[in-house]
Amino acid sequence: MKIATWNINGVKARIDNLRAWLTESAPDIACLQEIKSIDEGFPRLEIEALGYHVETHGQKGFNGVAILSKTKPDEVIRGLPGDDNDEQSRYIEAVFSVPSGAIRVASIYLPNGNPADDPVKYPYKLAWMERLRLHAANLLLLEEPLILAGDYNVIPEPHDCFDPAVWATDALFLPQTRAAFRRLEALGLTDAVRATTDATKLYTFWDYQAGAWQKNNGIRIDHLLLSPEAIDRLKSTSIEKSTRAWEKPSDHVPVSGEFDFA
DNA sequence: ATGGTAGAAGATCTA
């Protein structure tokens, strides 16, 4: 069973690429971020025509997440718990039945946080990460396969970016950001890509600007974090880099894991 | 120091 995450940077602008990727890569569950659409504006029929169920948590203009799946989820939760005043659509979670029981999958669009000296944006990112930690701690008590997939806007280690010096003061790489990410891992969550390879210079995002793709000036910020019950079932991971060279690409590429939940 | 690009907007904001 293939479970993937992809920040598509606008579902309307990316509909052709999304359809091509769903057809070629054929994930069983696809977690999308930055759909940049309200729920009613999501091209639901075009995705359903490819055999997918569609669950969205949209927002006008910015953000927005979705979970596409070949089987219908048993339960869907919209929004990250912990702050009733947070109006940004950055979290959706779904439970699926598999032969071995139930699995829980979340699509996460963690706040960017830049500029890091902004009085609102970086504190919002850190507060959001703490809310995610508290929610993840509760989910881990369920002792079921849990896949927290998404655009974390976190560069975990220096070798996860082309030039660490360039990112030293960026909200994606500041010590407090990386510490908050390590606190998630310390709960018992495992970075799936890191668990399956020792390779360095693995990137999932290349900026549109300054020829970043051509120069391989990338960063690894899209992650699958797995509970112990999920990592036990993980067979392989893949960073689907070829999509970055497509016409009209997203600046992110899909990251996927192959699982055996039989 | 600035701008470089892209998306959803339909003016700027976000990244």
Side-chain angles (χ1 to χ4, degrees), chain A residues 4 34 58 64 78 93 109 119 122 148 166 200 204 229 232 243:
Chain A
E34 280 204 272
R78 288 173 174 79
E93 176 188 316
Y109 180 44
Y122 193 53
L148 301 178
V166 168
T200 58
T204 66
E229 294 78 8
D232 281 348
T243 58

Side-chain angles (χ1 to χ4, degrees), chain A residues 6-7 19 30 35-36 42 51 73 120 123 130 144 154 162 172 240 245:
Chain A
W6 192 15
N7 179 322
R19 286 164 48 91
I35 63 173
K36 294 186 174 181
F42 194 95
V120 173
E130 176 61 10
E144 62 192 7
V154 175
F162 185 82
L172 278 60
E240 302 180 13

Side-chain angles (χ1 to χ4, degrees), chain A residues 7-8 60 62 67 73 102 137 149 169 191 204:
Chain A
N7 179 322
I8 56 173
K60 185 175 179 178
F62 309 109
I67 296 180
T169 61
D191 178 340
T204 66

